[in-house]
Amino acid sequence: MTKSNPSAAETVAVDLGARSYEVRIGGGLIARAGAEIAPLLHRRRVAVLTDATVAATHLEALRAGLGDIAMTALALPAGEATKGWAEFSRAVDWLLAEKIERRDLVIAFGGGVIGDLAGFAAAVLRRGVRFVQIPTTLLAQVDSSVGGKTGINSTHGKNLIGAFHQPSLVLADISVLGTLAPRDFLSGYGEVVKYGLLGDAGFFDWLEANGPALAAGDAGLRRHAVRRSVEMKARIVERDETEEGDRALLNLGHTFCHALEKATGYSDRLLHGEGVAIGCALAFELSQRLGLCAQEAPSRVRAHLRAMGMKVDLADIPGDLPDAQGLLALMGQDKKVVDGRLRFILARGIGAAFVAGDVPGEAVLGVLEDALALRG
Ligand code: GLY
């Protein structure tokens, strides 16, 4: 990687024909949000959906960055519980009360919860208005702000109500990552590691070498990690926007993760990116047991997560967990089940993931039983 000014922005284009857009990645993008967004505006006014935590830390910086573009904002409560019908309908009603028109712009300013909810509100408001993602967490910068998945949770499960609605622009300001709690940063890093594991062994090598310095705050390394992650996501979304095939690769580690998130009640016991990291380690363990990859692969995955101070095993999750059958049952309710069979993302090695349609339940049970036994 060449040494360059970390506050200079880099651009990744997401090429989706009429729905194409750019993801800008760099320091100070919020401070110049007005100049970045102005070409998209028909009138100099935007409506911002955010949460109370992000509003307290960053909303005035965004207002200043927008310059003479008038900004109106609604701050919803922070946390996953916001991502349901009640706050969604509050957000849509507010946008209507603010007289946001078809040609206006909504800004999603926050992490994954706000990005998904605001994107869905933009998708349905007046049958669809444009929106800009300004993600403020690492997880949102490398994953949820790119690719157009929007939605809310239902009592039947997470993300079951929604729409594909691509943003018109994404501004990933890496300077805000410095305000994240270390645990939240590392949770987002779980998704970064996922990209190396699923499709770029060289990027995983780079993360092994640079991950600790990146987590410690090096802005140039952070920008590179976000850019490479976004580039990989963009190429996959271009091939398969609506997840008919390849886009499922982005779910590496997620079938295990969703079961663990359900088992821990979507609580502080396990953050999403932590579940993804553990899920990736389990997916590589499963791949190795199925004879698809060498033992070295799951060992390297675990060693890197451990070196980063991340959760690696089921033993790292505090409190009780269901037994292996119970966890398998929670996977069985995963929305990615196709025709009653479990679908997993497995790997032939680091950087070589593929979608496997019919994984034997006994092998999954064996992996879970052994992982639970390590909890003692
Ligand atoms: N987060 C997975 C996807 O966007 O497809």
Side-chain angles (χ1 to χ4, degrees):
M1 177 200 163
T2 51
K3 283 265 174 212
S4 57
N5 173 8
S7 59
E10 297 189 37
T11 298
V12 176
V14 185
D15 189 356
L16 291 168
R19 295 177 309 290
S20 297
Y21 54 97
E22 292 186 342
V23 182
R24 305 221 171 100
I25 302 149
L29 284 165
I30 290 172
R32 56 174 194 277
E36 299 284 347
I37 288 169
L40 299 171
L41 297 178
H42 292 284
R43 59 172 170 161
R44 295 185 80 73
R45 180 166 185 263
V46 292
V48 176
L49 287 169
T50 187
D51 73 35
T53 308
V54 172
T57 320
H58 300 298
L59 194 59
E60 284 319 304
L62 179 60
R63 192 187 301 280
L66 286 168
D68 67 354
I69 298 168
M71 178 189 103
T72 175
L74 176 67
L76 302 172
E80 187 73 27
T82 287
K83 215 174 122 176
W85 282 120
E87 295 298 334
F88 173 73
S89 100
R90 190 177 150 212
V92 172
D93 279 346
W94 176 78
L95 290 167
L96 291 171
E98 291 292 324
K99 303 201 169 18
I100 297 304
E101 306 286 342
R102 279 294 303 277
R103 282 150 55 97
D104 285 337
L105 201 70
V106 172
I107 295 182
F109 188 44
V113 167
I114 288 298
D116 286 7
L117 182 147
F120 186 38
V124 298
L125 188 79
R126 301 187 193 277
R127 300 197 177 87
V129 302
R130 294 163 309 140
F131 78 116
V132 170
Q133 289 269 17
I134 307 185
T136 57
T137 62
L138 180 57
L139 191 135
Q141 291 190 355
V142 299
D143 183 30
S144 56
S145 68
V146 180
K149 280 189 180 174
T150 73
I152 56 173
N153 303 330
S154 140
T155 47
H156 296 278
K158 276 185 74 168
N159 297 324
L160 293 181
I161 303 154
F164 285 100
H165 186 51
Q166 299 293 343
S168 298
L169 175 70
V170 181
L171 298 178
D173 186 337
I174 53 152
S175 25
V176 299
L177 301 179
T179 62
L180 294 177
R183 185 178 174 199
D184 290 323
F185 183 88
L186 284 180
S187 168
Y189 186 81
E191 296 277 4
V192 175
V193 173
K194 179 195 78 178
Y195 287 105
L197 294 177
L198 77 87
D200 186 348
F203 184 46
F204 185 76
D205 294 345
W206 185 89
L207 291 171
E208 285 181 317
N210 295 290
L214 179 165
D218 187 299
L221 298 177
R222 285 180 173 191
R223 187 185 57 183
H224 178 77
V226 173
R227 183 180 57 73
R228 183 65 194 129
S229 301
V230 167
E231 231 167 41
M232 291 187 67
K233 178 151 189 183
R235 298 296 85 83
I236 290 172
V237 169
E238 285 167 355
R239 290 204 298 275
D240 178 22
E241 184 179 3
T242 54
E243 202 170 317
E244 313 292 323
D246 265 12
R247 186 164 179 164
L249 292 173
L250 296 170
N251 295 327
L252 176 64
H254 281 63
T255 304
F256 286 110
C257 170
H258 288 162
L260 295 170
E261 283 185 302
K262 280 183 201 156
T264 51
Y266 301 99
S267 70
D268 214 29
R269 284 173 62 201
L270 185 73
L271 304 180
H272 176 70
E274 294 174 336
V276 170
I278 294 173
C280 285
L282 291 172
F284 270 78
E285 182 62 32
L286 178 58
S287 302
Q288 187 270 322
R289 289 189 188 199
L290 292 171
L292 294 164
C293 67
Q295 175 55 53
E296 188 216 355
S299 302
R300 263 182 85 190
V301 176
R302 279 196 294 266
H304 179 53
L305 299 177
R306 203 55 89 203
M308 294 297 293
M310 297 168 70
K311 288 185 167 56
V312 181
D313 297 313
L314 300 192
D316 298 323
I317 303 173
D320 292 337
L321 286 178
D323 63 11
Q325 283 287 0
L327 285 173
L328 193 64
L330 291 176
M331 284 176 189
Q333 291 161 26
D334 190 284
K335 74 177 188 304
K336 289 183 289 303
V337 171
V338 177
D339 298 335
R341 290 173 306 182
L342 274 177
R343 194 160 63 131
F344 273 83
I345 313 303
L346 299 177
R348 297 194 173 87
I350 285 175
F354 66 99
V355 182
D358 202 359
V359 175
E362 311 81 64
V364 182
L365 258 187
V367 166
L368 290 170
E369 276 162 1
D370 292 350
L372 285 165
L374 288 175
R375 285 166 61 86

